[in-house]
Amino acid sequence: MATADSAINEISSMALPGLGRALVVAGKIGQRAAEDIFAKAKNSRTSFIAELTGSGVVSPFDLAHIMSQAFAAPLLDLDAVDIMRLPRDLLDAKICQTYRIVVLGKRNNRLIVATADPSDQDAAEKIKFSTQLGVDWIIAEYDKLSQMLAASSATATQAMDKIIGDDFEFDESTIESITDTTDPSVSEVDDAPVVKFLQKMLLDAFSMRASDLHFEPFEHSYRVRFRVDGELREIASPPVAIKEKLAARIKVISRLDISEKRVPQDGKMKLKIGPDRVIDFRVSSLPTMFGEKIVIRILDPSSAKLGIDALGYEPIEKARLLQAIGRPYGMVLVTGPTSSGKTVSLYTCLNILNKPGVNISTAEDPAEITMPGVNQVSMNEKAGMTFPVALKAFLRQDPDIIMVGEIRDIETADISIKAAQTGHLVLSTLHTNDAPTTLTRMRNMGIAPFNIASSVILITAQRLARRLCTNCKMPTDIPRQTLLEAGFQEDDVDGSWTPYRPVGCSTCNNGYKGRFGIYQVMPITEEIQRIILRDGSALEIAAQAESEGVRSLRQSGLYKVKLGMTSLEEILGCTNV
């Protein structure tokens, strides 16, 4: 161990964490590559180990073996550990989630702790401070640690029962004292049951990779649901008496007016997940018959930095999109329903375009993902900051690229089109079903065909489909006629590929794990421009696009079925013929 430590200390760049230096010494990664990954993790506010394993430079399996050798620590396969037998009261669950560690047991005055990064001094100090015990590290694979932490997390209902008990009485002075301060964080009540419950919900949602949390009051019950991989799942049923306190707590830390319960409100809040990672949450309150329904959307800035390849674009679709955003002026539109990934697609494009010599300004309602180097403006109708006002201001500030969160009215559309026609690249979104109907939707808004044809250069429609779990997916037999009715061509049903179906295992959600995009990327060619100028229908535009090799959303989805990425049922459910 002394030899490894001395070698590690000889690495020239002391900015790298111990984990990175150990990998450089072991020859598994170059010094420059390690520094690049560390810089990327710092910029995206993620941990070095998460960025390292996520990038695929080092697999969790290889990383565990390297760490075991470098730090002379035993290696353990967590698949052999019974989760139900793990001690639960030796260390706070928040610390375990933050540092991605699992407590295996206690021996005398020392804790036996599984980790993927034994060089993490912050974790060791936090454990010692919290428990007054020493730490003996056991090395485990990072992905298995994450899975075990998610699986061993107690249900929210059990946690709530444990925290408040049957005879809990709410202290009205708690909320009053919090609302009196201008900085809610100053008045944190860490041992308040509602605070603990909310914190657990947010951490559980993040660990389960949920996109939204729904807090829903009813007459005789209260329900908490998470949207995981596009599906809502009931997570907890806390006592109905908690609804007022919980809504007030969420509104306080989101800087909303807790005295206003008659109209909807929107706000934002932050949660520190780890020592160097902060997650933003968008909060929306809605008055219902039995209290305020609160929906919290998780906004992970790192999702916009995954790169265009991670979004699911096929090579030809990717080439069309990159060619469009590489042009000096024109309008690129991203369309689809709510929660179809439009914002992530736009910010992925902005991330590609974000260079020191480019002036980028965005108008959003509200700005969801923070991106350094981009001038972001959130709309505030009460203060008079609307999309048209923001766009007019942008045009007086020498912009190169403008991003409009959504084109909602004729005035916003008119200014955006003029900007696209006068030397600016404009990116925006519309809520339409597919790319061809986007053009007719713009006509219905009152935009002249000439303006549409001369400004729009590409439209991409998208949906999010669930990805089959690679651990448990199974081949299935689908009748030939069913495949043809779904949209496959005769040449596609020749038996050269195998369809799969979801099964379900301990590592996935009913046979699915994660989501990917399916896209219809339609460049506005000269032929399509002619159809627009003569005020042609969406059907004519769709037929012309198909003749030019543009896949429909259904065809794009069926291609993913052929690749074994998802099931036929999933594609039929999220696309129309």
Side-chain angles (χ1 to χ4, degrees):
M1 183 172 179
T3 303
D5 287 343
S6 61
I8 291 169
N9 290 330
E10 290 174 6
I11 300 299
S12 58
S13 175
M14 298 308 293
L16 282 176
L19 177 67
R21 298 198 297 272
L23 289 170
V24 173
V25 168
K28 296 296 182 180
I29 186 173
Q31 175 77 21
R32 180 62 183 273
E35 290 174 349
D36 288 344
I37 292 174
F38 180 66
K40 188 175 180 182
K42 194 172 183 180
N43 290 336
S44 60
R45 306 176 95 177
T46 59
S47 67
F48 177 80
I49 189 170
E51 193 70 46
L52 181 73
T53 54
S55 66
V57 175
V58 180
S59 70
F61 179 83
D62 289 338
L63 180 63
H65 282 74
I66 295 166
M67 291 298 100
S68 178
Q69 294 173 4
F71 292 88
L75 185 65
L76 175 67
D77 184 357
L78 290 181
D79 287 341
V81 176
D82 185 355
I83 295 177
M84 301 306 295
R85 294 181 179 273
L86 289 175
R88 298 186 180 275
D89 300 318
L90 294 178
L91 186 63
D92 188 87
K94 182 183 176 183
I95 296 176
C96 294
Q97 291 283 355
T98 299
Y99 294 99
R100 282 293 186 264
I101 55 178
V102 171
V103 178
L104 301 174
K106 179 184 175 186
R107 184 171 53 212
N108 298 325
N109 63 340
R110 302 186 70 81
L111 281 183
I112 303 170
V113 182
T115 182
D117 183 8
S119 69
D120 192 344
Q121 293 300 316
D122 287 341
E125 292 299 325
K126 190 73 174 179
I127 296 170
K128 290 176 184 176
F129 180 81
S130 178
T131 64
Q132 303 301 308
L133 298 173
V135 180
D136 287 334
W137 292 123
I138 302 291
I139 309 300
E141 294 164 51
Y142 183 77
D143 55 346
K144 291 183 179 179
L145 277 169
S146 299
Q147 292 169 9
M148 178 165 282
L149 284 167
S152 62
S153 177
T155 65
T157 303
Q158 292 170 336
M160 194 63 188
D161 290 341
K162 182 178 179 181
I163 290 171
I164 66 175
D166 295 330
D167 57 348
F168 176 81
E169 293 183 4
F170 291 107
D171 180 8
E172 296 299 332
S173 64
T174 302
I175 296 300
E176 291 171 5
S177 64
I178 291 175
T179 57
D180 289 339
T181 179
T182 57
D183 184 3
S185 62
V186 174
S187 300
E188 282 283 340
V189 186
D190 289 331
D191 58 348
V194 172
V195 175
K196 288 184 177 181
F197 178 69
L198 176 59
Q199 187 179 59
K200 176 172 175 53
M201 288 292 91
L202 295 176
L203 288 173
D204 282 357
F206 182 76
S207 65
M208 293 173 66
R209 296 177 290 107
S211 60
D212 302 88
L213 300 82
H214 294 243
F215 298 86
E216 302 168 308
F218 300 99
E219 186 174 9
H220 302 296
S221 63
Y222 192 76
R223 180 173 68 180
V224 180
R225 294 192 291 175
F226 293 173
R227 188 176 293 279
V228 182
D229 292 338
E231 280 196 338
L232 279 172
R233 300 169 56 189
E234 185 167 342
I235 300 298
S237 297
V240 69
I242 197 178
K243 64 181 181 181
E244 297 291 343
K245 286 282 188 171
L246 188 56
R249 179 63 190 169
I250 295 172
K251 290 169 73 174
V252 163
I253 58 181
S254 305
R255 300 185 183 273
L256 301 179
D257 184 358
I258 68 168
S259 64
E260 180 56 78
K261 302 178 182 179
R262 299 166 299 175
V263 296
Q265 296 186 67
D266 295 297
K268 292 182 73 172
M269 62 183 182
K270 295 178 181 289
L271 179 68
K272 193 171 183 179
I273 298 296
D276 57 356
R277 186 169 193 183
V278 177
I279 301 298
D280 292 328
F281 297 87
R282 189 181 72 192
V283 180
S284 172
S285 71
L286 176 69
T288 68
M289 288 181 62
F290 304 108
E292 288 183 280
K293 176 184 177 180
I294 308 286
V295 175
I296 301 177
R297 159 120 350 147
I298 299 176
L299 307 172
D300 189 356
S302 62
S303 62
K305 299 180 181 180
L306 293 174
I308 194 169
D309 293 319
L311 300 184
Y313 284 94
E314 295 302 323
I316 189 170
E317 296 168 344
K318 172 184 170 182
R320 287 170 178 162
L321 180 60
L322 291 178
Q323 182 182 26
I325 65 173
R327 292 172 64 171
Y329 58 87
M331 179 180 286
V332 175
L333 294 173
V334 179
T335 73
T338 303
S339 299
S340 61
K342 298 188 298 296
T343 300
V344 171
S345 293
L346 281 179
Y347 268 95
T348 299
C349 293
L350 288 183
N351 195 42
I352 295 170
L353 298 168
N354 189 14
K355 303 288 191 302
V358 180
N359 181 16
I360 303 176
S361 296
T362 73
E364 303 168 77
D365 186 20
E368 295 185 350
I369 298 175
T370 303
M371 181 169 287
V374 175
N375 306 292
Q376 298 173 269
V377 178
S378 287
M379 299 301 96
N380 186 343
E381 291 192 8
K382 289 183 179 179
M385 177 59 79
T386 61
F387 280 113
V389 170
L391 289 173
K392 289 175 183 177
F394 289 169
L395 294 175
R396 291 192 290 268
Q397 296 210 336
D398 186 32
D400 296 304
I401 299 168
I402 295 172
M403 195 268 271
V404 184
E406 182 185 348
I407 294 177
R408 299 176 177 174
D409 53 61
I410 183 63
E411 187 177 6
T412 304
D414 186 52
I415 300 172
S416 300
I417 284 173
K418 287 178 179 176
Q421 291 172 334
T422 55
H424 307 91
L425 180 65
V426 179
L427 310 179
S428 189
T429 70
L430 274 173
H431 286 84
T432 57
N433 290 327
D434 58 18
T437 56
T438 302
L439 297 169
T440 54
R441 167 88 173 95
M442 295 178 76
R443 283 289 294 116
N444 291 337
M445 291 174 67
I447 304 170
F450 171 79
N451 284 330
I452 298 173
S454 63
S455 60
V456 181
I457 57 177
L458 180 134
I459 301 172
T460 173
Q462 64 182 68
R463 298 289 189 277
L464 289 178
R466 291 180 295 170
R467 187 187 300 271
L468 282 169
C469 174
T470 55
N471 235 16
C472 63
K473 68 178 183 179
M474 295 285 290
T476 184
D477 289 324
I478 301 178
R480 176 188 177 88
Q481 187 59 34
T482 302
L483 294 174
L484 292 173
E485 290 174 357
F488 282 105
Q489 301 299 313
E490 288 286 348
D491 294 343
D492 295 324
V493 292
D494 55 4
S496 61
W497 57 278
T498 303
Y500 288 87
R501 63 178 175 84
V503 177
C505 65
S506 60
T507 65
C508 67
N509 301 308
N510 300 320
Y512 296 95
K513 188 175 183 181
R515 290 191 290 177
F516 59 87
I518 54 176
Y519 303 91
Q520 180 184 30
V521 182
M522 186 179 79
I524 305 302
T525 61
E526 290 184 2
E527 287 300 322
I528 293 179
Q529 284 180 331
R530 292 190 182 97
I531 297 174
I532 296 170
L533 288 171
R534 69 167 186 265
D535 212 6
S537 68
L539 290 175
E540 292 179 81
I541 296 170
Q544 179 60 36
E546 185 176 1
S547 70
E548 295 174 359
V550 176
R551 284 194 184 118
S552 67
L553 284 168
R554 170 61 65 85
Q555 291 168 343
S556 180
L558 293 178
Y559 182 69
K560 304 291 188 184
V561 174
K562 286 184 66 176
L563 295 179
M565 295 174 63
T566 190
S567 66
L568 180 61
E569 294 82 3
E570 176 67 9
I571 294 303
L572 294 179
C574 65
T575 63
N576 292 322
V577 178

